[in-house]
Amino acid sequence: MFKWIKKIFFPLRIQKKQSTPDELIPEGGTKKILNQDIQHIRTEMKKVLGRSADYKEGEWQIGEKKGFFLYLDSMTDSKEIKDVITKTLSDSSAKQFQVRDKEDLKNFCREFFTASTYQMVSYEHELVWQILNGSIVLVLEGIEEAIAIDLKTSESRSIAEPTTQTVVRGPKDGFVESIMVNVSLIRRRIKNPHLKFESFHIGKDTRTTVYVAYIDNIVNLGIRDEVIKRIKDIKASAIFESGNIEEYIADKSFTPFPLAYNTERPDLVAWHLLEGKVAIILDGSPFVLTVPVTIVDFFESSEDYYESFMIGSFVRLIRYLSFLVALIMPSFYLAITSYHHELIPTKLLLGIIAQREGVPFPAVVEVILMEITLEILREAGVRMPRAVGQTVSIVGALVIGQSAVEAGIVSSIMVIIVAVTAIANFVSPVYSFASASRVLRFIMILLSASFGLYGVLIGLIALVAHLSSLRSFGVPYLAPVAPFVWEDQNDVFIRFPIWGMKKRPRYLDTQAPIKQSDAKSPTPPPEGDPS
């Protein structure tokens, strides 16, 4: 295990081979140079793309040379195509420009496409690649190279407030499905030339664009190279969401806890990058992954750093308490009412007994019945149309809870227990982490029903042992608590003032451990000195 951790934390010598159009070459096939016969090229392209309704062709000419252009109407901006082609043809005709060979074609591009992003294409598979990526391809007879002009459509969802991680005070912009928009949201916050984005294409059928972002003079090189290696090793048919990537690159699959941090908030991703972490951005997904992650990260919110450090620390402690409540409150109630009556004050015990007098089910059945009902209502509220979703979840909970008590199916205190548990579960800033406690809660209920408080204790010991075994790209999941790192305790259970957090997390072993060496606490001017 130590050798593996050493391999993670020290630079790995990995050849950085980017994803290329060569992956479109059929298995066992070879590269085919563009034929000088443009009719042959047109026929080959029709075999590959011709049956698609959005595949378009057009004629064009430069001087005496005839040619055609190809593009996908769904991937390109039709207005830009019209402007580029029409303007180029009119300008070249006016100047009587002639193209005789590849060098003339390059000169033509330098003169007429200076305002556009273009690329010279020499192979048939590169031609297909450029068309699929939103370029218009211009082909001329007798020339063994084509021109690919990037005119992909810029349509995307407008930037809006994140729906899963809302804050009262802080930026209101969130990631969208466009990868370039997401990159710009990060760039606006980190104007650093060392911020790098490496591009990959994943998925045999989808060819989904993935960016790996990091700050190259801060990030641990071993972690960065391991992230890139795992992404390159993904052999999938399709990748549609960052959750798909998370399953492929996680250190361990059989755990309910997320081993990568997912967020819609650009400010959180910027903060993680500055700490020395690596971000994974997927085209088509508004959720960005950051790795490595520890359990402490899931109790932090960006708003903790926008409010006073005392308020931020208080709210963070509330989150830790809420996690424990959501995890063990139903099982704890079940254990003391079934096995340990002596722990309950007499008056409260008499009240509980009186409430449960007409309930026909054992306490464990009562708890499981209410928990399952709550999960059904939660899923119904999420999946139903927004206009009725909230109404169904809130009204359903009130009506069903009240009716169940009146019908004598469950006791009043059980409704209170389940309601408090549900509210505590919603306190978690990250939905995927909150889902883990939902699953574990049922295991804790069964243990408490079997062994009482001993079962709860066994469950907690097993949980801590499981968390201790988890790693996220070689970093212990419980760091910096286990192993205990004294220098990193300024942002775990409580948050120190911003000016007091001068170092990056030690467990990340970054190239630049000092984050802000000159930061000082604010002090009032000396008495009698108004300046």
Side-chain angles (χ1 to χ4, degrees), residues 408-425:
I409 299 175
V410 296
S411 59
S412 301
I413 192 168
M414 179 53 64
V415 174
I416 296 172
I417 294 292
V418 172
V420 172
T421 302
I423 294 170
N425 195 237

Side-chain angles (χ1 to χ4, degrees), residues 196-332:
K196 307 297 182 184
F197 295 88
E198 292 195 36
S199 175
F200 302 90
H201 299 279
I202 304 175
K204 179 182 176 183
D205 298 317
T206 58
R207 312 304 309 149
T208 307
T209 303
V210 176
Y211 281 4
V212 175
Y214 55 87
I215 302 177
D216 64 359
N217 65 337
I218 295 176
V219 69
N220 179 298
L221 298 180
I223 293 176
R224 180 201 64 184
D225 290 345
E226 182 66 17
V227 172
I228 292 173
K229 177 181 179 295
R230 293 188 191 184
I231 287 179
K232 285 182 179 179
D233 289 343
I234 294 175
K235 306 298 180 184
S237 171
I239 297 290
F240 292 111
E241 220 283 326
S242 58
N244 301 145
I245 293 181
E246 185 177 351
E247 283 197 53
Y248 277 104
I249 66 174
D251 291 53
K252 192 172 185 178
S253 301
F254 297 100
T255 178
F257 293 97
L259 297 179
Y261 192 96
N262 66 85
T263 179
E264 289 182 281
R265 300 194 60 83
D267 55 329
L268 261 177
V269 173
W271 183 270
H272 286 181
L273 287 172
L274 290 169
E275 281 191 329
K277 297 185 179 183
V278 179
I280 302 169
I281 311 167
L282 183 78
D283 193 20
S285 172
F287 288 90
V288 172
L289 302 178
T290 61
V291 292
V293 69
T294 65
I295 194 171
V296 172
D297 294 327
F298 295 104
F299 293 97
E300 298 174 356
S301 170
S302 57
E303 195 171 8
D304 294 351
Y305 305 95
Y306 305 144
E307 295 285 356
S308 161
F309 72 93
M310 290 186 289
I311 301 299
S313 300
F314 173 74
V315 174
R316 189 174 297 181
L317 291 173
I318 292 293
R319 293 194 197 106
Y320 281 103
L321 176 62
S322 298
F323 174 73
L324 288 175
V325 168
L327 180 65
I328 67 171
M329 189 171 187
S331 55
F332 184 79

Side-chain angles (χ1 to χ4, degrees), residues 114-158:
T114 53
S116 304
T117 303
Y118 69 89
Q119 186 176 342
M120 306 306 294
V121 179
S122 303
Y123 298 95
E124 288 184 7
H125 69 278
E126 291 180 340
L127 211 64
V128 176
W129 176 268
Q130 294 293 341
I131 293 172
L132 291 174
N133 279 279
S135 295
I136 179 172
V137 175
L138 310 177
V139 184
L140 279 176
E141 62 179 352
I143 307 294
E144 292 182 350
E145 283 193 352
I147 311 165
I149 307 173
D150 186 4
L151 296 177
K152 64 170 64 74
T153 179
S154 58
E155 294 178 0
S156 64
R157 179 169 62 93
S158 60

Side-chain angles (χ1 to χ4, degrees), residues 58-73:
E59 306 289 340
W60 77 314
Q61 184 173 345
I62 302 177
E64 299 177 356
K65 290 280 187 181
K66 293 183 179 180
F68 62 90
F69 54 87
L70 311 171
Y71 65 96
L72 292 178
D73 194 31

Side-chain angles (χ1 to χ4, degrees), residues 11 102 183 213 222 314 321 365 406 413 422 476 509:
K102 291 191 288 186
V183 169
F314 173 74
L321 176 62
V365 175
E406 292 178 356
I413 192 168
D509 193 22

Side-chain angles (χ1 to χ4, degrees), residues 368-485:
I368 292 176
L369 184 66
M370 287 300 296
E371 285 290 342
I372 291 176
T373 303
L374 175 68
E375 293 298 330
I376 292 172
L377 287 171
R378 189 205 301 260
E379 283 300 305
V382 171
R383 309 301 166 198
M384 291 188 71
R386 290 187 178 181
V388 296
Q390 282 189 330
T391 304
V392 168
S393 58
I394 296 172
V395 174
L398 292 173
V399 171
I400 292 175
Q402 184 65 28
S403 301
V405 172
E406 292 178 356
I409 299 175
V410 296
S411 59
S412 301
I413 192 168
M414 179 53 64
V415 174
I416 296 172
I417 294 292
V418 172
V420 172
T421 302
I423 294 170
N425 195 237
F426 286 123
V427 172
S428 176
V430 183
Y431 179 79
S432 57
F433 186 78
S435 298
S437 63
R438 290 165 59 186
V439 175
L440 294 173
R441 188 159 60 240
F442 285 95
I443 298 175
M444 299 295 288
I445 288 172
L446 294 176
L447 286 172
S448 67
S450 302
F451 307 105
L453 286 179
Y454 298 106
V456 176
L457 184 60
I458 291 170
L460 290 176
I461 292 173
L463 176 61
V464 173
H466 174 69
L467 291 173
S468 300
S469 71
L470 295 180
R471 296 289 185 274
S472 177
F473 290 86
V475 174
Y477 201 59
L478 291 181
V481 178
F484 187 80
V485 182

Side-chain angles (χ1 to χ4, degrees), residues 462-514:
L463 176 61
V464 173
H466 174 69
L467 291 173
S468 300
S469 71
L470 295 180
R471 296 289 185 274
S472 177
F473 290 86
V475 174
Y477 201 59
L478 291 181
V481 178
F484 187 80
V485 182
W486 175 256
E487 293 89 338
D488 294 344
Q489 299 305 310
N490 56 6
D491 195 24
V492 179
F493 298 104
I494 61 172
R495 177 180 82 78
F496 279 29
I498 291 289
W499 46 263
M501 295 188 290
K502 298 184 179 183
K503 295 182 179 180
R504 293 185 171 89
R506 186 178 172 186
Y507 59 82
L508 291 175
D509 193 22
T510 59
Q511 299 177 66
I514 306 299

